[in-house]
């Protein structure tokens, strides 16, 4: 009778044996599981970012259409023309701003980058800053349309800082024009909007003692326009940001 003793021989794997797991790390999680969790977190981040962005667009559209505008007709100061403000048609600049931001969001969503998360949060730094900028922008629109000038100036300043932080981080990580140009245009116009808010607040609070001097308004407007031009030239020649 043949000897069936197989002592010392390597064990053979049969079809009944369970398949070996993929590459694992500490804690026993597989690479596929990590990728799946990362994709889920990325999807949550994108959904929140798109929702906050959509809310900003809707609120801004309602404000520009005059739906949210609140004017107290008993307060004559609310009807005083601000000395540094653009014609209404200039607000159409929000259209290219939001289109460029939509392109940026699509590119980020399709890229599914494995950027570093903020602690245990499901957001990257870029995602958190973008969502924060949109939500602060929603608050600013309400504050501005309801003539809460201290709140509107504060919120627009915070939003401007957030957008320029996005510009810096995006320019560092993505040198293509689609990576930083949306935030450059957005941040540039927010600087103008900040000055408009400040000018409107000054006009509102100073006009209680009488109308502001037309000459003073003209001189201040020219000075601010020249200052903005100087900043634009600095950005063009220092950062190659036209």
């Amino acid at each position: 009778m043949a000897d069936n003793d197989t002592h010392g021989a390597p064990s053979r794997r049969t079809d009944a044996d369970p398949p070996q797991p993929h590459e694992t790390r500490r804690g026993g999680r597989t690479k596929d599981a990590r990728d799946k969790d990362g994709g889920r977190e990325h999807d949550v981040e994108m959904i929140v970012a798109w929702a906050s962005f959509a809310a900003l667009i809707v609120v801004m559209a309602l404000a520009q259409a005059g739906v949210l505008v609140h004017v107290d007709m008993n307060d004559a100061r609310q009807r005083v023309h601000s000395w540094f403000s653009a014609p209404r048609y200039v607000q159409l600049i929000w259209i290219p701003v939001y289109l460029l931001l939509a392109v940026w969001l699509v590119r980020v969503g399709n890229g599914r980058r494995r950027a570093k998360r903020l602690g245990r949060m499901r957001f990257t730094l870029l995602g958190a800053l973008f969502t924060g900028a949109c939500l602060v922008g929603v608050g600013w629109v309400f504050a501005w349309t309801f003539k809460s000038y201290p709140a509107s100036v504060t919120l627009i300043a915070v939003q401007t800082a957030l957008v320029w932080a996005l510009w810096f981080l995006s320019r560092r990580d993505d040198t293509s024009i689609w990576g930083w140009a949306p935030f450059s245009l957005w941040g540039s116009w927010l600087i103008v909007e900040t000055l408009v808010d400040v000018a409107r607040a000054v006009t509102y609070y100073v006009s209680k003692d009488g109308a502001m001097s037309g000459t003073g308004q003209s001189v201040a407007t020219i000075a601010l326009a020249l200052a903005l031009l100087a900043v634009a030239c600095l950005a063009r020649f220092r950062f190659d940001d036209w």
Side-chain angles (χ1 to χ4, degrees), residues 23-238:
E23 176 190 358
T24 60
R25 65 174 181 178
R26 294 177 184 177
R29 296 184 62 198
T30 66
K31 182 177 182 297
D32 289 344
R34 297 198 305 271
D35 290 343
K36 184 177 181 181
D37 289 347
R40 186 182 300 113
E41 291 176 351
H42 181 85
D43 292 339
V44 170
E45 181 180 35
M46 286 295 98
I47 291 173
V48 173
W50 276 107
S52 60
F53 183 48
L56 176 61
I57 294 176
V58 170
V59 170
M60 180 64 74
L62 293 176
Q64 295 302 324
V67 177
L68 296 180
V69 175
H70 173 74
V71 177
D72 183 2
M73 299 308 295
N74 294 323
D75 190 347
R77 291 179 295 169
Q78 291 192 3
R79 301 192 297 272
V80 176
H81 180 68
S82 176
W83 51 273
F84 186 83
S85 60
R88 190 168 183 81
Y89 67 84
V90 177
Q91 295 296 328
L92 293 174
I93 195 175
W94 289 116
I95 295 176
V97 168
Y98 291 153
L99 286 177
L100 286 174
L101 290 174
V103 172
W104 179 82
L105 270 179
V106 170
R107 291 181 75 249
V108 172
N110 291 338
R112 305 184 71 85
R113 297 178 181 175
R114 296 295 184 266
K116 185 178 180 180
R117 302 284 166 178
L118 294 175
R120 297 184 178 182
M121 296 176 60
R122 293 178 178 267
F123 290 87
T124 62
L125 181 56
L126 276 178
L129 287 175
F130 181 83
T131 301
C134 290
L135 295 179
V136 172
V138 170
W140 164 64
V141 173
F142 277 106
W144 172 252
T145 55
F146 284 87
K147 314 301 180 184
S148 178
Y149 296 120
S152 66
V153 171
T154 301
L155 290 173
I156 192 65
V158 171
Q159 188 187 22
T160 302
L162 292 174
V163 171
W164 282 110
L166 283 165
W167 173 86
F168 174 79
L169 295 173
S170 296
R171 190 179 179 89
R172 184 188 62 182
D173 299 335
D174 186 357
T175 57
S176 70
I177 190 173
W178 300 107
W180 56 267
F183 301 113
S184 178
L185 183 60
W186 192 12
S188 298
W189 185 246
L190 284 178
I191 291 177
V192 177
E193 290 284 8
T194 301
L195 293 175
V196 170
D197 281 28
V198 172
R200 190 67 182 86
V202 171
T203 304
Y204 178 78
Y205 292 113
V206 172
S207 62
K208 65 181 180 180
D209 297 325
M212 296 180 63
S213 168
T215 302
Q217 295 184 36
S218 299
V219 171
T221 300
I222 294 173
L224 286 174
L226 291 175
L228 289 175
L229 180 60
V231 172
C233 292
L234 175 65
R236 171 63 183 86
F237 295 108
R238 177 65 177 83

